[in-house]
Amino acid sequence: MSSAVSPLAPKNVPDMPVIAGVRLATAEAGIRYKNRTDVLLAVMDKGTAVAGVFTKSKCPSAPVEWCRAKLKGGKARALVVNSGNANAFTGKTGRASTALTAKIAAKAVGCSEGEIFLASTGVIGEPLDANKFDGVLGRLAEAAEPGDYLAAAKAIMTTDTFPKVATATVKLGKAKVTINGMAKGAGMIAPDMATMLSFIFTDAPIAPAALRALLKAGVEDTFNAVTIDGDTSTSDTLLAFATGAAAAHGAPKISRASDPRLKAFVKAFNQILANLSEQVARDGEGARKLVEITVEGAKTKASARKIAMSIANSPLVKTAIAGEDANWGRVVMAVGKAGEPADRDKLSISFNGIRVAKSGARDPDYDEAQVSEAMKAPEIAIKVSLGLGKGRDRVMTCDLTKEYVAINGDYRS
């Protein structure tokens, strides 16, 4: 965790309301860090529905495998998250660690181990000593209270420079329901489902199958459209918990994601995901520029996504942005290598609304001084027009600075 907050951090942090049926507590378990919280326990009321989506990495962490297996039950009573150790690439020891953590948590909360969900983030390849949770989780279960989501978000940080939270309140039927979310992530970010770690809580009465459908649809244009460095984590986990407490105030029970009564909820839910995923991009390791890349005129949306990601993941593009250089030649390179339909002579490119290239050549009105001034802004918008069809997509990323190398050059030491 960096001591210097990213210059791209949001200026305002929302007040996070209480969600009925959710209690939180954090502690120092000494997993890796000293003098900071590194474990979060979220306790949910009986009957809480759970859904999740996870990394598509072929080398998933032990907690990811645990959660995938337990989701079949559709119910959750507790979430345990630790930072400092990913419990990934740890073999039988890692699986034993998750089982022991779940056993300790289940005893502390008073539920079955199948209702315990786990997530870990940090160094890959080092065994996680789950014995450090013994006693700690019991104290947390007793101390857990509705409320402090900001403290919860801080406990799960690694190289993050600020806690990431978002909230929304909407009508479901005649009742008001609340959605709270938190996320962590700053490096090893190229999600193939969600983000490093993200957790959503709501008091809406939504069945597990409907909740999962909302998650799968919601991540596509939010967390799946964010990249920091092109590396998909072994630990990517997005879990959503619905306590159903709002049913007591008139909220209808929802069994299908297509239920028309969910329209406002879905909009707010997706806004939470979008907000959190943008915060991840804003906190990219060493980042000084938030970068939005829009590709339009592609053959299909999928083609536009691949081209946008090719640009976003290019070290040459990202370092040019860090150097405040509108080097459209590097964007042309990234478009060309994407393997998607493109016509050099139809290509147009703009930086922060200033067109620098048109019809496969430098724009005739190009003004170096004007563009150089625009590149000094903390937020950079790159637009690429292919002129081939109606496909359009947008992804978020950040620049690549010397600090990224410094952070990752000594991450384990």
Side-chain angles (χ1 to χ4, degrees):
M1 184 169 62
S2 173
S3 58
V5 176
S6 168
L8 303 172
K11 302 303 180 187
N12 299 304
V13 178
D15 292 327
M16 302 293 288
V18 166
I19 289 184
V22 180
R23 296 178 291 123
L24 306 169
T26 63
E28 297 178 24
I31 301 299
R32 178 178 174 82
Y33 306 114
K34 294 182 179 179
N35 302 318
R36 57 152 289 192
T37 55
D38 59 2
V39 61
L40 159 68
L41 175 67
V43 182
M44 278 78 71
D45 284 354
K46 291 181 179 179
T48 295
V50 61
V53 286
F54 306 91
T55 182
K56 291 181 182 177
S57 169
K58 300 302 181 183
C59 299
S61 68
V64 165
E65 291 184 323
W66 174 274
C67 288
R68 281 175 174 158
K70 304 310 173 188
L71 276 179
K72 297 174 184 178
K75 299 296 181 183
R77 288 294 314 283
L79 166 70
V80 180
V81 189
N82 74 269
S83 58
N85 186 312
N87 195 12
F89 203 67
T90 46
K92 293 181 180 179
T93 300
R95 290 189 287 274
S97 179
T98 58
L100 179 56
T101 304
K103 182 178 180 180
I104 294 170
K107 181 179 179 181
V109 174
C111 67
S112 72
E113 294 169 23
E115 296 175 295
I116 303 294
F117 288 81
L118 309 173
S120 299
T121 180
V123 176
I124 293 171
E126 294 186 5
L128 173 64
D129 183 4
N131 289 302
K132 290 186 175 181
F133 296 127
D134 197 12
V136 173
L137 294 182
R139 293 195 298 274
L140 289 180
E142 293 179 358
E145 295 181 351
D148 207 341
Y149 286 85
L150 198 61
K154 288 179 179 178
I156 65 175
M157 291 164 57
T158 51
T159 58
D160 304 63
T161 70
F162 62 87
K164 301 163 183 66
V165 294
T167 186
T169 300
V170 296
K171 276 287 194 73
L172 180 58
K174 295 181 179 180
K176 283 186 177 181
V177 297
T178 302
I179 310 168
N180 283 355
M182 69 179 80
K184 68 82 51 187
M188 201 184 287
I189 300 289
D192 196 5
M193 48 49 65
T195 186
M196 284 287 287
L197 297 180
S198 186
F199 309 107
I200 311 296
F201 302 89
T202 181
D203 54 357
I206 302 177
L211 199 56
R212 176 168 172 76
L214 292 182
L215 276 181
K216 288 187 68 176
V219 297
E220 284 308 311
D221 290 327
T222 57
F223 283 124
N224 278 357
V226 170
T227 179
I228 299 301
D229 44 27
D231 289 331
T232 296
S233 170
T234 59
S235 306
D236 287 347
T237 298
L238 171 56
L239 292 170
F241 303 92
T243 68
H249 303 288
K253 294 182 178 180
I254 303 296
S255 59
R256 297 177 295 108
S258 59
D259 192 317
R261 294 173 294 182
L262 267 184
K263 186 176 180 179
F265 182 91
V266 171
K267 182 178 179 180
F269 186 85
N270 290 342
Q271 286 175 342
I272 293 287
L273 299 182
N275 185 317
L276 292 173
S277 61
E278 180 175 312
Q279 289 189 57
V280 169
R282 287 180 176 276
D283 204 18
E285 290 171 340
R288 293 295 179 267
K289 307 277 188 182
L290 178 69
V291 185
E292 178 187 65
I293 299 169
T294 302
V295 174
E296 61 184 19
K299 287 283 189 179
T300 63
K301 175 180 171 65
S303 180
R305 169 66 62 88
K306 289 182 180 179
I307 292 170
M309 280 294 188
S310 179
I311 298 167
N313 283 324
S314 166
L316 289 176
V317 172
K318 292 161 75 72
T319 51
I321 294 169
E324 300 181 344
D325 179 11
N327 192 335
W328 69 86
R330 294 181 177 180
V331 176
V332 173
M333 172 279 298
V335 172
K337 75 170 185 174
E340 293 297 313
D343 185 334
R344 177 197 62 201
D345 296 332
K346 293 183 178 180
L347 195 62
S348 294
I349 301 167
S350 66
F351 287 82
N352 274 5
I354 302 171
R355 193 169 60 191
V356 297
K358 177 186 178 184
S359 302
R362 185 173 71 179
D363 191 284
D365 297 324
Y366 178 78
D367 183 333
E368 179 75 24
Q370 181 189 27
V371 179
S372 294
E373 185 63 29
M375 294 302 291
K376 294 178 181 179
E379 299 185 12
I380 305 296
I382 299 176
K383 179 180 283 188
V384 174
S385 299
L386 298 173
L388 300 178
K390 296 182 178 180
R392 185 182 187 279
D393 205 7
R394 163 190 169 276
V395 303
M396 301 294 293
T397 188
C398 60
D399 57 347
L400 179 60
T401 67
K402 294 178 182 178
E403 189 178 350
Y404 177 89
V405 178
I407 291 169
N408 287 285
D410 62 3
Y411 182 67
R412 291 175 70 246
S413 56

